[in-house]
Structure formats: structure tokens, C-alpha cells
Amino acid sequence: MSTHDLVIVGGGPAGLTAGLYAARARMDVVLLERLSPGGQVLTTDVVENWPGDVEGVSGFDLADRMRDHALKFGLEIKSAEITKLAADGNMKVLSTPDGELRAKAVVLAVGAQPKKLGVPGEDLLIGKGVSYCGTCDAPFYREQTVVCFGGGDTAAEECVFLTRFAKKVYLVHRRDELRAAGVLAERVMNNPKIEVLWSQVPLEIKGVDKVEAVRLKKLKDGEEYDLPCDGAFVFVGTSPNTDFLRGVMDMDRQGFIIHDRNQHTSMNGVFAAGDCCSKLLRQIVVAAGEGAVATYAAQRYLEEVHE
Ligand code: NAP
């Protein structure tokens, strides 16, 4: 069992920034990441609202640069999945399938993952036409027809990206106004390959070995119909990767972690940052900022409680 002053869980922009700040402050720190560092940014084609990158930066490059930046200051990154977090006096015990780690303070930057629609056919056809990442899967739909669901920033960005390959992109939204930021919504509305189907909801994704159609319902008159397509892309929001923390700390109804203005959770010595947090705006720049605050607050906590 190893013991550290600070353990950071998660290697997206929040975790890597927390790690950069901790390593630069010469803290005894380790960052644990389930797969490889980067997080959801890895599935983003171009990030165009990272300040200073005027021309935009590929999600992959940005994640790479963030990891390299933290490594430059000596951050230790290990591959491990945390399955349980518990308190033992002032210490925190983190369980992994390979054993336990102990920490005086923890930063949780565990991120979020795409939500499912929850309609029949969805689970059955994942990887057979149902996808949650346009940036990853768009090239499979060259000259084909795809249907996207959602109305937020992700749906808008991914729909536009899909038009590079697909001949037709339907965007099904449950209301008659997009939630996406103005500039992204404009790109959707101005793209001749995209047709928005307003005030409609999915009832089923149909197909045997691959997606063949989606069954939709028009909310205004109740009409139901099948829309033939080759792919169904789901962009209806995210849910936090916090199942292993249930009952351990305060969360909102959707499982996002509640914290104070210094990222301190209801569990003493445990801080949270990034998309797993309960808040208004989930953006890379916010995640990075919260990662910095979480580490700084953890440092102060260590000075006050453990020195
Ligand atoms: P989101 O902002 O939560 O939007 C989810 C969309 O899906 C909403 O339009 C919602 O409709 C719709 N929806 C939710 N549940 C649905 C269901 N069961 N059936 C049909 N439609 C459903 O999620 P997101 O677009 O994935 O974005 C997540 C966060 O990442 C946001 O904070 C966003 O700003 C951020 N983000 C930022 C960028 C960027 O800055 N470039 C890019 C991507 C994501 P309603 O509108 O009716 O609620």
C-alpha cells in the first residue's frame, strides 16, 4: 500500500491541471487514470474556445500538451481504476482492483460520459450504427444518412463535423430552439446538409444487424413515423462517473458532486474539479481552472490539518 500527500483521480483537463499545479508546488502527488490521460477532450475534433489558441486546437493535441506539461514538472501518472473511497481518521483510503492507496488529500477529477437515450434498440445497436462520438465514427458514414439527437453544444459541433462525411444529417431536437451557443447554432442552421427536426423525440432505434431507421414522435400532433438512416448519433448530455462515490459525499440528483467555492466536497480533505462537479458550465477552461483551485485548496488543507 502506498501513501501520498495528494492523490488525483482522473486525467482529463481538470486532473492534469491539478497535477501540473501539485507537481510544480513539489507536492508528494500521484495522478491515477483509468485508461490514458486526456478525458473527453480526446473525442473532440477541434477546440476553438481554449484561450490563446486563436486558430483552434485539436482535442487530441490539447490533451497531449496538457499531459506533457504536467510531466515536465515531474507529475507521476499511474494507470488504476478507483472502485471505492473511504475515510480512515484524517486519511483517505482509495481501493483499486490491485490493492489500496492512502492519501492525506484527494482531488476527484473523474469526469463524465455521454448519456444514453434509453430507447429500445439503442443498447443492441451500439457499435452497429449507434454512436456517442461523431469525431470518432463520422468517417464510417461517407455519403450516408445519419440522425443525431440533442440540441446542446455537443450536438451542434458533432452534427457539423458529420457533414464532412455524411450526405445528409438530421438533427432531432425535443424543443423548437437549440440550447447550443449562438455561433454553434448558427453553423447548424447555415449548413445545407443539416435538417433540424424540431419538437420531436425518439421512440426506438430500429435495425437487426445495423441501424436501419429511427422511430420518431412529433410532440405537437403526436404523429409517429420511421426515418430511414444508416447511423444514429446520441448527444443528449453527460452523466458523471461518480457511481463509486454514492453515499460517501453530497451529490445532486444527477450524481454530480457538490462542493464549496474552493472545490472542497462534503468529505473532509476531498476536493472535486471538472465535469464531475455540480455547476452551470462544463467547459475545458472551467475544468482547468477548477483543477488549479482544487490543488491549491488541498495544499492549504494539508498545511492546516496535517502539519
Ligand atoms: P447539454 O448541454 O446538457 O445538452 C443536452 C441536449 O440534449 C439538450 O439540448 C437537451 O434538450 C437534449 N436532451 C437531453 N436529454 C434528452 C433526451 N432524453 N431526449 C432528447 N433530447 C435530450 O449537453 P452537451 O451538449 O453534451 O454539453 C455538455 C456540456 O459540455 C455543456 O456544458 C456544454 O456547454 C459543454 N460543451 C462545450 C463545448 C464548447 O464550448 N465548444 C462543446 C461541447 C460541449 P433541452 O435543450 O430541451 O434540455
Side-chain angles (χ1 to χ4, degrees):
M1 184 193 300
S2 59
T3 301
H4 295 273
D5 283 351
L6 178 65
V7 171
I8 298 166
V9 187
L16 288 173
T17 308
L20 165 67
Y21 274 67
R24 198 162 170 269
R26 298 281 180 255
M27 293 175 78
D28 165 27
V29 57
V30 62
L31 183 151
L32 307 175
E33 166 59 50
R34 189 160 46 168
L35 299 165
S36 54
Q40 292 175 100
V41 183
L42 290 174
T43 62
T44 304
D45 175 39
V46 177
V47 177
E48 55 178 23
N49 51 0
W50 178 249
D53 267 312
V54 181
E55 302 303 326
V57 52
S58 90
F60 196 85
D61 282 352
L62 184 58
D64 243 21
R65 279 165 29 187
M66 286 183 172
R67 185 206 53 206
D68 289 349
H69 200 165
L71 290 175
K72 176 185 153 186
F73 286 101
L75 179 67
E76 184 186 2
I77 299 179
K78 280 188 179 168
S79 177
E81 176 164 7
I82 303 303
T83 52
K84 193 176 158 202
L85 174 65
D88 177 12
N90 266 345
M91 296 299 286
K92 274 35 95 183
V93 183
L94 300 110
S95 306
T96 80
D98 301 320
E100 289 181 343
L101 283 100
R102 289 170 75 82
K104 292 177 182 168
V106 173
V107 171
L108 296 168
V110 290
Q113 60 185 314
K115 262 201 236 167
K116 289 185 177 182
L117 282 174
V119 297
E122 182 180 17
D123 281 344
L124 202 70
L125 293 165
I126 287 177
K128 297 173 183 166
V130 171
S131 169
Y132 301 84
C133 180
T135 308
C136 320
D137 294 335
F140 296 124
Y141 296 90
R142 206 174 285 275
E143 291 306 309
Q144 298 188 14
T145 297
V146 299
V147 177
C148 299
F149 298 98
D153 288 346
T154 306
E157 277 188 347
E158 296 281 71
C159 266
V160 170
F161 183 78
L162 277 157
T163 62
R164 292 197 207 169
F165 301 90
K167 69 173 180 216
K168 175 86 186 178
V169 176
Y170 291 101
L171 175 57
V172 177
H173 184 36
R174 64 185 179 184
R175 291 188 294 133
D176 54 11
E177 189 187 2
L178 294 177
R179 177 181 294 279
V183 67
L184 300 175
E186 275 167 25
R187 279 180 206 155
V188 168
M189 302 312 294
N190 294 335
N191 192 308
K193 282 187 174 180
I194 300 176
E195 185 177 339
V196 185
L197 304 177
W198 301 106
S199 303
Q200 300 191 24
V201 291
L203 298 176
E204 184 180 351
I205 300 176
K206 293 182 159 185
V208 183
D209 293 324
K210 62 180 272 301
V211 169
E212 287 160 22
V214 293
R215 187 151 186 85
L216 302 174
K217 180 178 179 179
K218 296 182 184 174
L219 292 176
K220 291 203 170 146
D221 61 12
E223 184 194 337
E224 295 179 15
Y225 67 104
D226 285 348
L227 177 64
C229 61
D230 304 292
F233 285 81
V234 181
F235 307 119
V236 295
T238 57
S239 60
N241 298 321
T242 54
D243 283 354
F244 73 103
L245 297 167
R246 280 195 189 278
V248 175
M249 62 186 58
D250 291 348
M251 294 180 187
D252 66 17
R253 272 192 306 157
Q254 294 168 287
F256 290 101
I257 300 169
I258 294 172
H259 55 80
D260 70 9
R261 58 202 286 266
N262 294 328
Q263 306 304 127
H264 207 160
T265 72
S266 61
M267 188 174 184
N268 205 24
V270 179
F271 302 79
D275 279 11
C276 62
C277 293
S278 181
K279 61 182 163 184
L280 182 64
L281 185 64
R282 295 197 169 80
Q283 306 264 301
I284 302 166
V285 69
V286 177
E290 289 175 352
V293 173
T295 287
Y296 188 71
Q299 225 179 321
R300 296 276 293 266
Y301 164 84
L302 289 173
E303 284 161 15
E304 284 162 20
V305 177
H306 281 272
E307 292 303 310

